[in-house]
Amino acid sequence: MTKKTKNNLGTVLTMSLAHLVHDVPGAFLAPLLPLLIEKFGMTVFMAGLLDFFRRFPSIANPFLGILADRMPIRYFTILMPGVTAVAMSLLGIAPTYTFLAVLLIISGLSSAVYHVTAPVMIRHVSRERLGRGMSFYMFGGELARSLGPLIILGAVSLWTLEGTWRLVPFGAAASVFLYFRLKDIEVERKPIEKGEDHAGKVLAH
């Protein structure tokens, strides 16, 4: 394995870790829902709306894609795991149902931004080994669905529902780590030329 291939694999693994870190907090809501229902005295309708609040920002995906085409997408990939982790870790200390909804909307918007931009990054860093890159990237997301409930319920067991804010530093630290690992990656999109495939080319500088 050449040095270039080793470096490439390291960046792919970093992107897989970023997907894991981002999607772990996304799995916090379902395990916390019974506790939140009890805390706020929610009706079934109010409880059902919580997941809607988190998923609703995804309707902005086409506009986020336009924004991503005009800005350095590495910063979205770096920041969004931390934003999602912070918002979801604060659910336990939300003082009102409205505040809870705002946190979920922030988390949903962060998730939408991340999932629009991260696949472009993994396509870029994978280079000619796209299958390998996507497999690692998807593995990180799938593993997060298993680890998320375990982590949040472990936090509740240790610190109670109101103590889940103690997970905030871990989310912030993840974005700091990603910054130093991904800050120098630049993605440039060139116009599709005759003979290129439908996706065009993504070149690094």
Side-chain angles (χ1 to χ4, degrees), residues 64-73 76 189:
L64 296 175
I66 293 172
L67 180 64
D69 282 338
R70 299 173 180 272
M71 298 181 66
I73 63 173
F76 294 124
R189 301 159 192 80

Side-chain angles (χ1 to χ4, degrees), residues 17-58:
L17 177 64
H19 199 189
L20 173 68
V21 170
H22 179 275
D23 282 13
V24 159
F28 285 0
L29 179 59
L32 290 180
L33 196 54
L35 299 175
L36 294 173
I37 290 173
E38 181 180 358
K39 177 179 179 179
F40 294 104
M42 298 182 206
T43 64
V44 174
F45 177 74
M46 292 171 67
L49 275 179
L50 294 181
D51 194 51
F52 170 79
F53 291 139
R54 188 166 189 275
R55 296 181 184 276
F56 178 74
S58 64

Side-chain angles (χ1 to χ4, degrees), residues 77-89:
T77 306
I78 290 167
L79 292 174
M80 294 308 106
V83 173
T84 301
V86 169
M88 296 300 288
S89 297

Side-chain angles (χ1 to χ4, degrees), residues 6 9 11-12 20 29 31 36 52-53 59 62 64 68 72 97 129 131 135 151 155 159 162 171 177 183 193:
K6 287 182 179 179
L9 178 58
T11 307
V12 168
L20 173 68
L29 179 59
L36 294 173
F52 170 79
F53 291 139
I59 67 171
L64 296 175
Y97 181 84
R129 295 177 177 262
S135 67
I151 290 173
W159 305 313
E162 286 71 22
F177 170 77
K183 64 183 177 68
E193 299 175 358

